[in-house]
Amino acid sequence: MEFLTDYGLFLAKAVTIVAAILIVITAIVAAAHRNKGDDDSEGELHLKKMNASYKRLKDSLEEKMLSDEERKAWDKTRKKEKKAEHKALKAKAKSGDPVEKPVKSRVFVLDFDGDIKASDTDGLRKSITAVLSVAEPGRDEVVVRLESGGGLVHSYGLASAQLDRIRARGVALTACVDKVAASGGYMMACVADRIIASPFAILGSIGVVAQLPNFHRLLQKNNVDFEVLTAGEHKRTLTVFGENTEKGREKFLEDLQDTHVLFKEYVSERRPAVDINAVATGDIWFGRRALDVKLIDELKTSDEYLIEACDRADVLGVNFRRKRTLPEKLGLAASTALEHSAVRVLSMFRNRNIL
């Protein structure tokens, strides 16, 4: 028993020391970040050549299917081809003739994974700014792999406006939806010249919802007063703690209806073939049904579309990654560890037929 007590005290001291060290390191790194310029701390743009990635997958599989002798012959042939190609380029360079590469169109691939606040918008904005600085209207294309169930109106309004910049420049825009583009997510998708979705992707939900609890009766029951003071008749229509009135509810609903009208107008302007009154009911459609009501243009996964694009263009993945601070990295590591632990516990329960 004494051993356990001593061990517990030792463990507590060790944890305290480690925590103190982490706090000091966090403070130092945070101070360093504050002293850096904006360009150093905000992040960087990453470019991935997807043609090469898909080709590597194909070559890797083909190589693994060969016998040892076939693999040796295949490697030898590839080396000869690369050597001959390099020799030809070198000879052309020596001759003084300009080495002309065939002009291919480019497909820039952006990713947007939306939460309720459309937090990816800042990265999307920077990626679009970079792409539009080099993209050529009439030749190049932008593909957005979009996943979002929607969220705040103003947040998704801004994200959609970023995509509108691409269309305004005359660059072709395609939205690919593999899982979901609903509500604010569909507001973004409808900006595209073409929407491609997988057969069971969820689309639509062209509607507006607002909900909030009200604790007025609970406070009243416990003799707690809550006052809301405003300047302006409609500054606060509904409250969480105060007593809501019919007049306030009517005004709030009127604002919701106006937002819905704006949403419908936005979709109609960008997809005029859609019968907006038929689809703007807040309902959702799976990919196959969405095609029937013209919410999308084609049934296909993003992988299919991009692999086909590799035959006609250079496909380039563009991704702006914000640099994480040390506290964010520590928090992410902790949340990942917690998530893995929860998954292991759930798996254990399932194996024991408890869930």
Side-chain angles (χ1 to χ4, degrees):
M1 194 67 183
E2 185 179 349
F3 168 75
L4 291 175
T5 303
D6 291 340
Y7 180 73
L9 289 171
F10 168 75
L11 191 62
K13 289 177 182 177
V15 170
T16 303
I17 292 169
V18 171
I21 292 171
L22 287 175
I23 290 170
V24 172
I25 292 173
T26 301
I28 293 170
V29 172
H33 274 291
R34 281 196 297 271
N35 293 331
K36 284 184 178 181
D38 291 338
D39 292 338
D40 293 330
S41 60
E42 66 177 9
E44 58 185 350
L45 206 64
H46 291 257
L47 187 70
K48 180 181 179 182
K49 296 181 178 180
M50 301 180 75
N51 300 66
S53 297
Y54 286 128
K55 189 176 185 303
R56 277 196 297 270
L57 284 173
K58 178 186 173 186
D59 290 347
S60 177
L61 182 58
E62 287 179 344
E63 185 180 358
K64 291 182 188 306
M65 291 190 297
L66 298 174
S67 64
D68 289 341
E69 291 182 1
E70 289 172 329
R71 189 179 296 113
K72 287 177 183 177
W74 186 65
D75 285 338
K76 194 173 181 181
T77 303
R78 279 208 311 172
K79 285 177 182 176
K80 280 184 179 179
E81 288 174 352
K82 285 183 178 179
K83 191 174 181 181
E85 187 180 334
H86 180 70
K87 192 175 180 180
L89 287 171
K90 195 173 180 180
K92 195 161 188 177
K94 277 186 177 180
S95 67
D97 296 331
V99 180
E100 295 182 4
K101 289 186 178 180
V103 178
K104 291 180 72 175
S105 60
R106 295 165 297 185
V107 175
F108 299 97
V109 183
L110 312 180
D111 289 303
F112 185 90
D113 188 4
D115 57 14
I116 195 169
K117 297 187 294 182
S119 303
D120 263 1
T121 301
D122 191 52
L124 179 70
R125 174 176 65 84
K126 291 183 172 70
S127 297
I128 289 173
T129 298
V131 167
L132 291 182
S133 68
V134 297
E136 295 187 19
R139 191 188 83 171
D140 297 331
E141 177 188 3
V142 175
V143 172
V144 178
R145 292 188 292 195
L146 176 62
E147 301 296 338
S148 175
L152 299 175
V153 174
H154 60 280
S155 298
Y156 276 90
L158 177 58
S160 301
Q162 296 300 332
L163 295 180
D164 265 324
R165 293 170 56 201
I166 300 171
R167 283 191 65 166
R169 286 286 296 273
V171 177
L173 175 62
T174 301
C176 290
V177 182
D178 288 325
K179 294 179 182 177
V180 58
S183 195
Y186 189 76
M187 178 188 283
M188 292 180 67
C190 77
V191 175
D193 300 290
R194 295 175 68 225
I195 304 176
I196 294 167
S198 63
F200 284 92
I202 296 172
L203 300 113
S205 189
I206 302 172
V208 186
V209 62
Q211 53 191 3
L212 72 162
N214 183 264
F215 298 96
H216 174 69
R217 282 184 292 177
L218 177 64
L219 297 177
Q220 195 175 46
K221 184 179 177 181
N222 290 278
N223 297 319
V224 177
D225 292 328
F226 182 84
E227 295 183 4
V228 180
L229 305 177
T230 63
E233 184 182 359
H234 302 303
K235 180 61 180 177
R236 183 70 70 238
T237 52
L238 295 183
T239 73
V240 175
F241 298 108
E243 183 177 7
N244 291 320
T245 64
E246 268 317 306
K247 187 176 181 181
R249 291 189 186 93
E250 288 173 6
K251 174 58 181 170
F252 195 87
L253 185 58
E254 182 184 321
D255 292 340
L256 281 185
Q257 295 288 2
D258 185 49
T259 306
H260 191 209
V261 169
L262 289 170
F263 193 175
K264 292 194 293 183
E265 290 174 351
Y266 193 85
V267 176
S268 293
E269 288 169 4
R270 286 150 186 80
R271 293 191 69 83
V274 170
D275 182 353
I276 195 64
N277 291 322
V279 300
T281 56
D283 290 318
I284 57 102
W285 282 264
F286 289 109
R288 289 186 181 277
R289 303 290 181 254
L291 184 62
D292 295 337
V293 294
K294 296 182 172 54
L295 286 173
I296 65 171
D297 302 292
E298 190 177 356
L299 288 173
K300 190 176 287 186
T301 65
S302 62
D303 298 290
E304 288 178 274
Y305 186 76
L306 293 176
I307 289 170
E308 290 170 4
C310 286
D311 294 332
R312 59 180 169 81
D314 290 327
V315 182
L316 306 167
V318 180
N319 181 26
F320 182 87
R321 296 178 194 168
R322 185 176 65 84
K323 291 180 181 177
R324 288 195 181 97
T325 62
L326 181 61
E328 287 175 327
K329 289 178 181 177
L330 292 173
L332 182 62
S335 68
T336 303
L338 185 61
E339 183 181 346
H340 288 169
S341 300
V343 169
R344 282 198 296 269
V345 170
L346 288 172
S347 299
M348 181 178 66
F349 283 144
R350 285 196 184 97
N351 292 336
R352 294 181 182 178
N353 297 320
I354 294 174
L355 290 180

